[in-house]
Amino acid sequence: MRYISSGESHGRALTAVVIGVPAGVPVDIADIDADLARRQSGYGRGGRMAIESDRALILSGVRFGRTIGSPVTLTVSNRDWDNWTDVMAPQGPANPAARVTAPRPGHADLAGIQKTGSADCRDVLERASARETAARVAAGGVARALLRQLGVSVSSFVTSIGSVSMEMPADPSAVDPDTVESSRVRCPDPDASNRMIAEIDEARAIGESLGGTFCVTARGLVPGLGTYAEAGGKLDARLASAVMSIPAIKGFEVGDGFAAADRPGSQVHDEIAHNGERGFYRRTNRAGGLEGGMTNGEPVWIRAAMKPIPTLMRPLGSVDIDTHEPVDASRERSDVCAVPAAAVVGEAEVAMVLADAYLAKFGSDCLDDIVAAVAAYEARITP
Ligand code: EPS
């Protein structure tokens, strides 16, 4: 299962096409809309979120609430399109007043126009905009619908914004999703949440932007998803690729990640245990549920680092692409911090990779066959 997306930030709509979806998966558009709303929430967002109210429309692949085995197409409209028709018109003469000529440091603007030969940074920034992640969340909703049938849930929470961090819990996968959603920054630690909000307010007041880190967890996974046998199928590598593809993500780690490199092996690896109820299990989960490129049966947990948003109200220096004179980088209406939203996008990306890994191991056409194959596998590996 995988998706492609299309659409510009201020174009008419975003679209996702999900292929490789088995037949028989119940899809409730309300679940997808709830994820889209979570992506839009989060303290630190800018004026655009007051305009948009994202809803998914299913154009294909679902009939009477169930997938039928054909590609699933979803669209999310851009309400702001109505205000941008003269800038983003698909037809008609170019609008010279709509050109952006001062590329922003940290954005795709400059390398994008160099690569494509465009003379207008807007040709690049419209697609490079993180608005596109709404399509990812809609696509991820289809993956989550499949995972739900297999007893797998995917969640996320924010672990730091700017200089404010929460202490990582011993078991990140046990963090209560309702507690996360009750925080305006999607952080389960109320004290850290308040300090994060204060830091966002300070950043906004001085025209700054902030990055941060988030954790994505997945529970209910069977061991053996992914492979130890070939590079392209290693699940940790696939998760890294998917999460790193989210705009502004600059770092990724699995389980204890970089911190594990500082400790001796006896304080890093998770001892194997066994009992009649659980079968094989681990006494700890520092590995983040992944060993040898495969799930090991423990919850998966990964973290990602998002850089601060590159559009600054007090812009950094740039160079005009026409005159080559020094100028301030272009100012666009923007968010101050989008880490809470990026965490929800991280869920979608992780869900898509995990759903695909299930289909690779257990068949890919018919939900009932997949459920039966998972049950047979679980019976075989549970002594
Ligand atoms: C973004 C700039 C802002 C963000 C946008 C991402 O949009 P605008 O330029 O319209 O103010 O709000 O994010 C979204 C619209 C969204 O839905 O997440 C950028 O330049 O990446």
Side-chain angles (χ1 to χ4, degrees):
M1 187 189 290
R2 64 192 170 87
Y3 74 90
I4 61 163
S5 79
S6 66
E8 282 78 40
S9 178
H10 303 99
R12 190 182 289 273
L14 303 157
T15 305
V17 181
V18 190
I19 61 169
V21 184
V25 178
V27 173
D28 187 342
I29 196 79
D31 292 332
I32 298 177
D33 285 345
D35 288 341
L36 288 170
R38 287 193 304 126
R39 192 200 70 92
Q40 280 202 269
S41 71
Y43 197 76
R45 299 285 250 155
R48 178 75 184 273
M49 286 307 101
I51 299 171
E52 304 298 341
S53 177
D54 292 341
R55 292 283 175 94
L57 181 66
I58 297 177
L59 298 188
S60 76
V62 180
R63 189 158 178 253
F64 307 132
R66 283 182 186 265
T67 58
I68 54 173
S70 45
V72 176
T73 308
L74 304 121
T75 64
V76 178
S77 294
N78 290 324
R79 284 189 171 183
D80 209 13
W81 153 254
D82 291 341
N83 306 318
W84 287 73
T85 47
D86 55 337
V87 175
M88 294 301 293
Q91 300 279 281
N95 174 356
R99 271 183 79 213
V100 176
T101 60
R104 292 161 297 171
H107 222 292
D109 303 351
L110 182 56
I113 57 164
Q114 288 175 317
K115 173 186 171 68
T116 58
S118 172
D120 183 354
C121 296
R122 185 161 294 287
D123 285 342
V124 172
L125 69 87
E126 281 289 331
R127 179 65 183 154
S129 162
R131 173 74 185 148
E132 181 260 348
T133 61
R136 297 179 188 231
V137 170
V142 178
R144 298 174 86 111
L146 169 66
L147 292 173
R148 202 170 290 128
Q149 297 305 310
L150 305 176
V152 176
S153 59
V154 181
S155 309
S156 70
F157 56 95
V158 169
T159 50
S160 72
I161 287 179
S163 68
V164 182
S165 301
M166 67 173 274
E167 198 177 316
M168 273 307 275
D171 178 3
S173 75
V175 166
D176 173 30
D178 290 339
T179 309
V180 173
E181 299 315 333
S182 70
S183 157
R184 294 167 84 192
V185 282
R186 308 196 61 257
C187 171
D189 176 338
D191 176 57
S193 287
N194 289 336
R195 287 184 289 125
M196 288 172 185
I197 288 167
E199 189 143 324
I200 291 169
D201 286 339
E202 279 167 34
R204 182 182 282 114
I206 57 171
E208 270 291 2
S209 61
L210 292 175
T213 58
F214 60 85
C215 181
V216 180
T217 66
R219 293 180 73 88
L221 299 159
V222 295
L225 299 172
T227 180
Y228 59 90
E230 47 94 18
K234 284 181 175 258
L235 199 64
D236 39 13
R238 294 194 57 201
L239 289 168
S241 171
V243 173
M244 290 291 295
S245 79
I246 300 169
I249 301 302
K250 297 299 257 186
F252 178 86
E253 59 181 14
V254 179
D256 279 359
F258 278 75
D262 300 343
R263 299 197 300 260
S266 61
Q267 291 170 39
V268 169
H269 301 296
D270 303 306
E271 287 187 318
I272 299 173
H274 185 278
N275 68 27
E277 191 196 335
R278 294 174 65 184
F280 293 107
Y281 68 96
R282 305 307 169 104
R283 297 190 194 284
T284 51
N285 186 16
R286 300 159 179 149
L290 292 162
E291 287 172 311
M294 298 169 291
T295 51
N296 64 6
E298 299 297 324
V300 162
W301 63 278
I302 62 94
R303 286 178 76 196
M306 183 185 203
K307 69 182 179 182
I309 285 167
T311 309
L312 297 175
M313 293 306 126
R314 275 207 332 215
L316 295 174
S318 183
V319 171
D320 185 279
I321 58 172
D322 292 337
T323 65
H324 298 176
E325 293 297 323
V327 286
D328 283 347
S330 68
R331 263 185 217 97
E332 298 247 336
R333 174 189 63 191
S334 183
D335 306 321
V336 176
C337 175
V339 181
V344 178
V345 183
E347 292 176 25
E349 289 292 344
V350 167
M352 188 63 67
V353 171
L354 294 177
D356 188 58
Y358 265 95
L359 300 185
K361 177 145 178 57
F362 297 106
S364 56
D365 297 325
C366 164
L367 177 66
D368 288 348
D369 291 352
I370 296 163
V371 169
V374 172
Y377 176 66
E378 285 181 316
R380 173 168 74 74
I381 63 172
T382 309

